[in-house]
């Protein structure tokens, strides 16, 4: 995996342009520690920090084919098939890299090339003859790409910290976007939490020809591929096994060994099984274990390890590890977090590096596409209850929603839970679907923000803004399908693939690969009836059925434990905040940064001295992590780390004199 | 016995302290869940506050929107329970 940078329409001399793109690339060296290079011409420059995975000797970047130059981050897994197809059309290749396939596919098929790519990618392509720059990103946002217009020029980078190297530039929060990020767990559309910085949206490409805003085109949206009429459940099971196996097969294409993350859940266990079947040889697997048995999943991990016989490595996390690494984790994540779960993943990628592996298969997105989240269950319950709101029987299902949470199964508390969910009966089917509950719970952040900034919460405005991102068919989808779209564009894109995924893996130069995000699987499973995925309250029902008998039953039938890390217990000890919290949430720093309300923060922290961390709920947990990480992210924006590149690793240095 | 006003003051003080809002930041006639002031655990905490601090009995059938649907409704519920002598043992013993 790699880090990419670009500058377009820079009004200065080429030498300055070159220096600038080198500085930007230096901030991304962690993403590509193996080599780096630059291309510079009159008013365009591209930079690349490389993690070598495919065609180690030839796939250098930026790659210049004469007509096109590309700085490319990612993998197009079906590049072998595309290469053959292009060769049949007479296209000649100089390397065996997928990078060259991307360029030549664009040369032949133009913008229609993107929908042929099966993979995870972000790239900046300079079309010399047409003097246009194309910035594109994969369907689900696995690989990042940010854009900023500043002082007349366009700047592009895999991570926003690259912009911090520009002389005179400083990242500042856009407070309204920060609040929306807090409510939804992602900003909406192409917004980021920073002023003036946009993201290229997943599944789109943008064309830049000059100073004007780019034209933005979508090559993919959920549910866009025509599907066959639904197969029977048994046929669908067979299909799922086959599709997953093929997705794993493609994702094992690599010129370096591939390892895998094993969480102990069904998703990674299924992938471990398929990896061992496809690879046919022993591979390395990696896990996090927790010192606190409340969070530890090592018994399930070990069971799967002995089942597939992998060479297993684990790293143990305790409360101190979380607080000690949080500063560095937020530096990589660049935006506020909601949980500390990125910390274990950051340490996991370190462990992978230490064991000489660069690529890992990982199980994200199964919960989105196969209805594994609680939001699907909540919606199903509300939908059922709303058809007969007076029923005293229907709401009894609430007890089955979260059997592992004490206050849900307690008979007395049932009345209160019923009361809580009753409040959503009127609203759950509005276009925000399952987000209604998340937004309601997260609205507390409005009180946390500095009152002088005047941020207002208006649900109708938010709905309108989110609605603008809906695909054309959205209103014809089932409520659970709508919820899938929302989960994929908020939690998955804005947190799991970015803060917890790409940034944590690439923080140690590790590439994650996601078989469940093979678009063929996403599209096919999307077309299946809801009941295949959520049967009663049985989540990921078809996955469980399809792999029953193939992986240990204890893993298939284990109670669901959401991936979590010991958030509060890492930050509050014996009712007292740890030094990291004391420093970044001190009245002085709150005042200096001006993002949060001083009184709120002080009162919030005092709350923990009055009760043990075991008594604190989801919301306090989330609020603390949000406040702390938002302060720390801003600290890094104001105090960027100086980084430099190793001259000996420079493999491309093109300076081209273009015709004026 | 507490007056309506005293009950309201106590309840609002509890809500502000516990859920970190200012008295003028939320509406007393609307649902606290709807306004994002509390989540599901907040309901548990408010009902515990009624029982432990105000000595009011809260039975499962009392947990309805008509009793918990707003600050005003909660105040009316507390005053009613108190007038009807539906008190927890701890409170009635004092």
């Amino acid at each position: 995996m790699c880090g990419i940078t670009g500058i377009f329409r820079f009004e200065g001399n080429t030498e300055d342009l070159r220096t600038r793109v080198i500085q930007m690339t230096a901030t991304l060296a962690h993403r590509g520690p193996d080599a780096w290079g630059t291309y510079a011409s009159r008013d365009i420059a591209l930079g690349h920090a490389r993690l070598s995975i495919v065609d180690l000797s030839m796939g250098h970047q930026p790659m210049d084919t004469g007509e096109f130059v590309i700085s490319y981050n990612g993998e197009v897994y079906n590049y072998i098939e595309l290469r053959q197809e292009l060769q049949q059309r007479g296209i000649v290749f100089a390397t065996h890299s997928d990078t060259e396939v991307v360029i030549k596919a664009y040369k032949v098929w133009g913008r229609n090339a993107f929908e042929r790519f099966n993979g995870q990618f972000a790239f900046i392509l300079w079309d010399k003859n047409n003097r246009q720059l194309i910035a594109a990103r994969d369907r689900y946002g696995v690989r990042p790409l940010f854009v900023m217009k500043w002082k007349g020029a366009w700047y592009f980078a895999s991570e926003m910290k690259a912009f911090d190297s520009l002389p005179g530039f400083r990242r500042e929060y856009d407070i309204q976007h920060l609040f929306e990020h807090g409510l939804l767990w992602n900003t909406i559309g192409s917004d980021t939490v920073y002023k003036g910085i946009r993201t290229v949206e997943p599944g789109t490409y943008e064309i830049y020809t000059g100073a004007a805003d780019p034209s933005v085109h979508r090559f993919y949206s959920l549910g866009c591929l025509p599907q066959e009429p639904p197969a029977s459940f048994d046929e669908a099971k067979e299909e799922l096994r086959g599709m997953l196996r093929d997705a794993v097969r493609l994702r094992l294409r690599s010129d370096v060994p591939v390892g895998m993350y094993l969480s102990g859940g069904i998703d990674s266990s299924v992938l471990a099984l398929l990896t061992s079947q496809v690879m046919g040889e022993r591979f390395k697997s990696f896990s996090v274990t927790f010192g606190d048995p409340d969070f530890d999943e090592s018994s399930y991990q070990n069971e799967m390890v002995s089942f597939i016989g992998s060479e297993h490595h684990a790293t143990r996390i305790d409360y101190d590890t979380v607080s000690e690494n949080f500063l560095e984790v937020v530096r990589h994540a660049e935006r506020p977090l909601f949980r500390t779960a990125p910390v274990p993943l950051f340490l996991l990628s370190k462990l992978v590096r230490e064991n000489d592996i660069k690529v890992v298969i990982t199980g994200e997105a199964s919960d989105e596409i196969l209805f594994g989240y609680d939001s699907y269950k909540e919606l199903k319950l509300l939908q059922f209850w709303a058809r007969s709101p007076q029923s005293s029987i229907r709401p009894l299902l609430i007890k089955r929603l979260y059997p592992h949470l004490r206050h849900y199964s307690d008979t007395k508390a049932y009345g209160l839970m019923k009361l809580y969910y009753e409040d959503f009966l009127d609203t759950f089917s509005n276009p925000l679907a399952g987000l209604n509950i998340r937004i309601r719970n997260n609205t507390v952040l409005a009180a946390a923000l500095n009152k002088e900034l005047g941020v207002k919460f208006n649900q109708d405005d938010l709905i309108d803004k989110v609605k603008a991102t809906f695909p054309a068919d959205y209103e014809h989808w089932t409520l659970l399908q709508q919820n899938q779209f929302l989960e994929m564009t908020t939690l998955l894109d804005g947190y799991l693939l970015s803060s917890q995924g790409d940034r944590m893996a690439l923080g140690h130069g590790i590439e994650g690969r996601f078989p469940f995000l093979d678009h063929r699987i996403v599209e096919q499973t999307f077309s299946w009836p809801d009941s295949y995925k959520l049967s009663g309250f049985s989540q990921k029902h078809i996955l469980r059925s399809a792999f029953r008998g193939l992986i240990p039953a204890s893993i298939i039938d284990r109670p669901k434990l959401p991936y979590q890390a010991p958030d509060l217990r890492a930050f509050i000890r014996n009712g007292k905040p740890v030094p990291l919290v004391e420093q970044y949430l001190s009245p002085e720093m709150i005042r200096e940064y001006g993002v949060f309300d001083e009184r709120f923060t002080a009162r919030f922290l005092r709350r923990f001295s009055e009760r043990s961390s075991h008594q604190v709920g989801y919301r306090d947990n989330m609020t603390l992590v949000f406040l702390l990480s938002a302060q720390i992210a801003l600290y890094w924006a104001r105090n960027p780390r100086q980084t430099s590149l190793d001259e000996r690793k420079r493999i491309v240095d093109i300076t081209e004199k273009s015709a004026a | 016995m507490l007056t309506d006003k005293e009950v309201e003051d106590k309840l609002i003080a509890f809500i502000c302290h516990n859920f970190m809002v200012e008295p003028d930041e939320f509406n007393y006639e609307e649902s606290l869940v709807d306004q994002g002031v509390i989540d599901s655990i907040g309901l548990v905490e408010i009902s515990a506050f009624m029982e432990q601090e105000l000595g009011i009995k809260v039975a499962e059938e009392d947990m309805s929107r008509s009793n918990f649907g707003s600050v005003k409704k909660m105040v009316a519920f507390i005053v009613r329970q108190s007038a009807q002598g539906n008190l927890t043992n701890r409170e009635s013993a004092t």
Side-chain angles (χ1 to χ4, degrees):
Chain A
M1 202 46 52
C2 311
I4 59 176
T5 56
I7 305 174
F8 180 41
R9 280 193 59 81
F10 177 78
E11 293 185 359
N13 65 52
T14 310
E15 196 43 43
D16 282 354
L17 177 65
R18 198 168 151 271
T19 308
R20 223 165 246 216
V21 87
I22 291 173
Q23 283 165 347
M24 286 172 70
T25 310
T27 63
L28 304 182
H30 53 273
R31 296 181 69 90
D34 296 332
W36 63 278
T38 57
Y39 166 91
S41 183
R42 185 168 49 107
D43 63 352
I44 166 93
L46 301 180
H48 192 268
R50 185 177 186 209
L51 180 68
S52 314
I53 289 170
V54 172
D55 197 355
L56 309 185
S57 57
M58 292 296 287
H60 304 321
Q61 292 195 56
M63 185 177 279
D64 185 353
T65 60
E67 281 172 84
F68 303 101
V69 192
I70 196 170
S71 187
Y72 161 79
N73 166 209
E75 310 290 341
V76 168
Y77 300 114
N78 59 339
Y79 74 103
I80 294 175
E81 291 77 8
L82 292 172
R83 193 172 194 269
Q84 284 164 355
E85 210 177 325
L86 289 163
Q87 278 171 328
Q88 281 162 11
R89 289 169 161 252
I91 301 295
V92 178
F93 285 86
T95 74
H96 291 278
S97 67
D98 58 336
T99 312
E100 192 182 357
V101 172
V102 170
I103 297 182
K104 302 224 160 135
Y106 181 74
K107 180 184 162 70
V108 172
W109 293 308
R111 302 165 195 185
N112 297 327
F114 308 142
E115 61 194 42
R116 292 170 177 259
F117 298 162
N118 180 350
Q120 48 188 43
F121 53 84
F123 59 80
I124 316 164
L125 180 87
W126 174 236
D127 178 343
K128 294 185 195 177
N129 296 336
N130 295 308
R131 286 199 61 77
Q132 62 180 18
L133 188 140
I134 293 119
R137 223 177 139 206
D138 64 66
R139 295 174 177 82
Y140 307 111
V142 177
R143 295 303 156 215
L145 186 54
F146 297 98
V147 188
M148 175 175 78
K149 189 176 193 184
W150 189 59
K151 296 191 174 173
W154 295 103
Y155 293 86
F156 302 83
S158 300
E159 295 180 15
M160 295 180 274
K161 56 179 74 66
F163 304 139
D164 300 343
S165 68
L166 301 171
F169 173 76
R170 188 162 88 168
R171 270 183 288 151
E172 292 288 351
Y173 283 141
D174 178 312
I175 297 294
Q176 186 64 36
H177 293 174
L178 180 79
F179 180 48
E180 287 166 3
H181 184 63
L183 289 175
L184 301 167
W185 290 15
N186 197 5
T187 39
I188 302 165
S190 66
D191 292 345
T192 71
V193 296
Y194 298 101
K195 280 182 193 158
I197 303 180
R198 294 172 54 248
T199 176
V200 175
E201 284 187 63
T204 69
Y205 59 94
E206 304 187 342
I207 299 176
Y208 295 78
T209 52
D213 283 346
S215 59
V216 178
H217 310 265
R218 182 166 287 284
F219 66 90
Y220 174 82
S221 64
L222 184 63
C224 71
L225 298 186
Q227 300 294 342
E228 303 290 312
S232 71
F233 186 70
D234 283 337
E235 287 165 349
K237 265 165 46 179
E238 186 60 40
E239 213 172 344
L240 181 62
R241 280 193 293 262
M243 287 190 300
L244 273 171
R245 191 185 163 92
D246 197 56
V248 167
R249 180 184 68 81
L250 285 182
R251 279 157 188 78
L252 290 174
R253 285 181 171 171
S254 161
D255 293 337
V256 296
V258 177
M260 77 168 306
Y261 284 166
L262 209 52
S263 73
I266 184 174
D267 308 327
S268 63
S269 299
V270 160
L271 297 181
L273 172 82
L274 295 170
T275 301
S276 85
Q277 286 176 349
V278 174
M279 210 190 269
E281 58 189 63
R282 198 161 186 239
F283 57 90
K284 293 182 183 178
S285 58
F286 302 90
S287 293
V288 178
T289 64
F290 287 98
D292 186 333
D294 278 5
F295 304 106
D296 190 48
E297 301 185 62
S298 52
S299 63
Y300 296 106
Q301 293 160 2
N302 294 336
E303 189 167 0
M304 203 56 210
V305 166
S306 22
F307 189 72
I308 52 169
S310 58
E311 178 192 322
H312 193 62
H313 302 266
T315 184
R316 187 187 151 112
I317 309 274
D318 55 31
Y319 299 138
D320 286 336
T321 338
V322 173
S323 48
E324 282 161 12
N325 286 281
F326 199 64
L327 205 57
E328 193 58 18
V329 158
V330 177
R331 188 179 86 84
H332 282 289
E334 310 185 313
R335 65 176 111 178
L337 306 175
F338 310 93
R339 315 168 176 158
T340 58
V343 178
L345 284 153
F346 184 61
L347 296 170
L348 193 55
S349 65
K350 182 163 175 256
L351 177 74
V352 174
R353 253 286 139 179
E354 287 163 357
N355 284 280
D356 299 322
I357 293 285
K358 291 180 186 176
V359 180
V360 288
I361 302 273
T362 173
E364 276 80 0
S366 168
D367 283 326
E368 282 79 5
I369 67 169
L370 298 173
F371 300 176
Y373 286 128
D374 293 335
S375 60
Y376 294 103
K377 289 201 292 187
E378 286 172 331
L379 285 175
K380 188 168 184 172
L381 181 140
L382 286 167
Q383 207 167 24
F384 179 64
W385 185 4
R387 285 200 290 266
S388 177
Q390 301 310 319
S391 165
S392 57
I393 308 293
R394 295 192 172 200
L396 284 171
L397 280 169
I398 290 169
K399 293 183 183 183
R400 287 182 46 207
L401 265 184
Y402 304 109
H404 57 283
L405 291 181
R406 211 174 310 125
H407 72 275
Y408 276 82
S409 51
D410 182 317
T411 324
K412 173 143 190 221
Y414 162 71
L416 295 168
M417 291 310 107
K418 175 169 173 269
L419 188 56
Y420 175 71
Y421 281 104
E422 216 171 352
D423 259 9
F424 293 97
L425 277 179
D426 305 330
T427 53
F428 76 94
S429 57
N430 77 23
L432 294 175
L435 292 186
N436 284 296
I437 295 177
R438 188 185 301 163
I439 290 170
R440 198 79 61 82
N441 282 335
N442 296 356
T443 308
V444 63
L445 296 175
L449 291 170
N450 184 347
K451 311 271 184 289
E452 289 169 17
L453 300 171
V455 170
K456 287 271 179 288
F457 174 51
N458 182 320
Q459 173 123 350
D460 293 337
D461 290 350
L462 189 72
I463 288 178
D464 286 345
K465 206 171 162 185
V466 175
K467 266 169 95 172
T469 69
F470 291 167
D473 275 351
Y474 187 86
E475 60 186 78
H476 301 120
W477 294 348
T478 68
L479 187 62
L480 299 188
Q481 284 178 313
Q482 292 177 343
N483 196 52
Q484 177 182 342
F485 172 83
L486 294 168
E487 289 286 6
M488 290 184 81
T489 51
T490 58
L491 182 74
L492 183 71
D493 173 51
Y495 173 77
L496 291 174
L497 292 178
S498 47
S499 297
Q500 196 171 301
D502 176 274
R503 262 36 123 241
M504 293 306 112
L506 270 302
H508 290 116
I510 298 299
E511 170 180 311
R513 294 185 174 184
F514 307 86
F516 284 103
L517 280 180
D518 187 308
H519 67 284
R520 297 168 303 173
I521 298 182
V522 176
E523 286 296 312
Q524 189 64 29
T525 54
F526 183 79
S527 74
W528 288 340
D530 290 348
S531 60
Y532 286 14
K533 297 164 263 186
L534 183 64
S535 171
F537 275 172
S538 167
Q539 295 168 296
K540 297 190 278 200
H541 180 62
I542 191 162
L543 186 70
R544 282 174 215 284
S545 304
F547 286 89
R548 186 168 293 284
L550 298 174
I551 62 172
S554 54
I555 289 175
I556 291 195
D557 296 323
R558 61 175 287 196
K560 186 178 164 67
L561 184 68
Y563 189 88
Q564 53 185 337
D567 301 345
L568 263 185
R569 293 183 225 175
F571 293 133
I572 308 284
R573 296 286 173 75
N574 304 320
K576 226 177 115 32
V578 300
L580 181 80
V581 176
E582 291 218 306
Q583 182 186 347
Y584 286 91
L585 297 184
S586 67
E588 297 74 31
M589 262 187 100
I590 293 290
R591 206 173 310 135
E592 186 191 338
Y593 286 2
V595 176
F596 296 112
D597 184 78
E598 249 183 277
R599 265 180 75 187
F600 177 95
T601 316
R603 206 151 49 168
F604 180 66
L605 289 179
R606 231 181 4 254
R607 187 173 154 81
F608 298 113
S609 61
E610 295 162 7
R611 60 183 76 197
S612 86
S613 57
H614 291 268
Q615 290 173 299
V616 176
Y618 150 85
R619 222 160 69 146
D620 287 338
N621 225 11
M622 185 273 301
T623 306
L624 179 64
V625 176
F626 184 84
L627 294 180
L628 181 62
S629 55
Q631 286 284 102
I632 294 175
L634 199 54
Y635 166 82
W636 285 118
R638 293 179 178 206
N639 303 277
R641 186 176 292 164
Q642 299 300 319
T643 44
S644 60
L645 290 162
D646 182 348
E647 269 302 324
R648 290 166 300 178
K649 292 187 176 176
R650 179 168 199 151
I651 45 167
V652 176
D653 183 5
I654 304 168
T655 304
E656 193 167 49
K657 289 198 171 48
S658 70
Chain B
M1 209 160 61
L2 296 173
T3 65
D4 285 22
K5 178 79 179 98
E6 285 166 334
V7 169
E8 183 170 306
D9 288 349
K10 279 191 171 213
L11 183 62
I12 287 171
F14 172 78
I15 291 167
C16 291
H17 177 76
N18 225 43
F19 306 114
M20 296 155 301
V21 282
E22 301 297 332
D24 58 359
E25 281 175 352
F26 60 103
N27 188 316
Y28 300 172
E29 316 251 353
E30 287 175 17
S31 154
L32 292 175
V33 175
D34 270 351
Q35 298 178 73
V37 176
I38 59 170
D39 61 358
S40 57
I41 292 173
L43 282 169
V44 177
E45 288 177 309
I46 288 179
S47 111
F49 167 77
M50 289 180 183
E51 293 198 324
Q52 285 158 21
E53 303 299 321
L54 303 178
I56 298 298
K57 261 191 195 160
V58 185
E60 190 182 317
E61 60 270 21
D62 297 326
M63 295 165 186
S64 62
R65 279 206 261 198
S66 55
N67 292 336
F68 280 79
S70 71
V71 167
K72 291 282 184 203
K73 285 175 181 167
M74 289 184 213
V75 170
F77 168 68
I78 294 165
V79 170
R80 203 164 54 240
Q81 288 291 87
S82 174
Q84 290 169 4
N86 289 330
L87 306 175
T88 58
N89 292 336
R90 187 184 63 83
E91 195 66 13
S92 44
T94 56

